[in-house]
Amino acid sequence: MNETLSTEVSVPAINGERLWQALMELALIGATPEGGCNRQALTELDREGRELLIRWCEAEGLIVRFDAIGNLFARRDGSNADADPVVIGSHIDTQPTGGKYDGCFGVLAALEVIRTLNANGIETERPIELVSWTNEEGCRFAPCMMGSGVFAGQLTLEDALSRTDVDGITAGEALAAIGYVGDDANRPGQFAAYLEAHIEQGPILEDEGKTIGVVTGALGLKWFDVTVTGMAAHSGSTPMHLRQDALLGATRVVEAVNRIALAHQPDGRGTVGAFQLLPNSRNVIPGQVTLSVDFRHSEGEVLEAIVNEFRQTLNAIARETGLSIEIAPTADYPPQHFAADCIAAVRQGALANGYAHRDIVSGAGHDAVFIGDIAPAAMIFIPCEKGISHNESEYATPEDVTAGANVLLHATLNLAGPVAGAVA
Ligand SMILES: [Zn+2]
């Protein structure tokens, strides 16, 4: 990181109007009646979105390539051809009732950074690669973060390509159908740094009146299925003291999840999001309840402690009620701690522009969380209205979109080393 950037180099401002117009133009591809966007991965609309992005990249003189899972890379050469690139971007696929900003902001902010460098004749030492990862949302083809997951070795290419949609079409067939099967030889080598700008998808920045979130990492998560088993019986003929009511025990589990998460603030999260009753009949005492449990925290040891406390609580509930309670893990991702020099470059970008900012931990998954395992990475958050996303009403203000891109530009220059054009 170039510590002297802020004093030796005058960084130009990005063109907020040009960036906003690009966001609105991309959002026309798959536009929904309620003002959102439905451009799911590996569909015909995804192909159209990619074509527009490629056209914009090529107009800036970038060299566009694809790897075998269809991740797009667009290279702007640096003065040092041997230097590892600074990679910036996100994704352009959306949820079925998605918004205009989730993912697209990060890709188009990266494009705007390159447009600004070109317009101002600024050369960097390191190459800059714009990236648009395939299928971040994971709605047509699971899992989410598929392109970055394959890139980072979280899942194999064969596994990803064999995943099917509801019609039985494989991701491999869909990728071939839109014409974006590339070659892994097209990938950039080791990343010097990866930066991803994104809407927060949560309410914290708006609540505190902050413009920029300096993202220091992402919450780890542990998921479980919990099964509480009692005895189904007639609701009229079974006296209260002779019942084994699985639902009564399950409500205590729900309460415990909430209580344990609340005891580990500010980063603890605990959620029961799915709940099934057997037999689910008005006049039968519930015999079995299955529920999902989602625990998250920013520190691995704390997440471990949360789960230990939860297991002990389940044992106590089982002892006190006579119910049988089983717990089965279904997913386990450790917390991500982003790289100190990338975080510092983002913070410096916010400071240099005079934006109100705070450190923040991402509660949601992002491509940067996988890339952070294989390269120095960080993220830039901007507020989104009421924290709403994955929704057609998702909204970020033009001012915040502009601010996020200015921070991305500053951090990118910091990490890529400006060599010409920007010196004051
Ligand atoms: Zn996203």
Side-chain angles (χ1 to χ4, degrees), residues 18-19 22 56 60 110-120:
R18 183 171 56 192
L19 170 53
W56 282 336
E60 295 303 314
L111 176 69
E112 179 55 36
V113 163
I114 287 164
R115 285 173 162 173
T116 303
L117 295 178
N118 285 354
N120 289 274

Side-chain angles (χ1 to χ4, degrees), residues 90-91 93 101-104 136-137 196 198 201 365-367 390:
S90 189
H91 61 93
D93 65 308
Y101 308 89
D102 177 356
C104 301
E136 194 275 346
E137 298 291 358
E196 181 169 351
H198 207 282
Q201 301 180 284
H366 290 289
D367 295 310
H390 288 188

Side-chain angles (χ1 to χ4, degrees), residues 153-179:
Q154 290 280 342
L155 79 164
T156 65
L157 176 67
E158 297 67 36
D159 184 8
L161 294 178
S162 70
R163 300 302 181 97
T164 52
D165 68 6
V166 289
D167 299 320
I169 297 167
T170 67
E173 289 162 350
L175 181 62
I178 65 167

